[in-house]
Amino acid sequence: MSDSEHYDPLSPRHPKAAKDSQERRMPRGLVIRLFAYLVVGHVIAAFLYLLFVVAGAE
């Protein structure tokens, strides 16, 4: 009998401890991208706010 007869696609391939530690951390690229989007979004919002403040001062 071969191993393919007893193959279960739903069974975990890696030990549970390694899987848990991997799931808890976000990928570094995602963290950097999220931080950049937050910073850029706030800079654009501040610029738009400044435009409205300057336009309303007249």
Side-chain angles (χ1 to χ4, degrees):
M1 295 176 122
S2 66
D3 289 335
S4 63
E5 293 177 7
H6 301 290
Y7 175 70
D8 183 11
L10 300 177
S11 66
R13 291 180 179 222
H14 304 291
K16 192 168 181 95
K19 184 180 178 188
D20 288 343
S21 65
Q22 189 71 7
E23 286 180 356
R24 289 185 191 144
R25 291 191 54 193
M26 292 175 60
R28 183 176 178 169
L30 180 63
V31 172
I32 293 170
R33 198 175 331 136
L34 179 62
F35 180 74
Y37 287 162
L38 285 173
V39 169
V40 170
H42 281 85
V43 168
I44 291 172
F47 178 70
L48 290 174
Y49 178 76
L50 179 66
L51 287 179
F52 279 103
V53 167
V54 169
E58 295 177 7

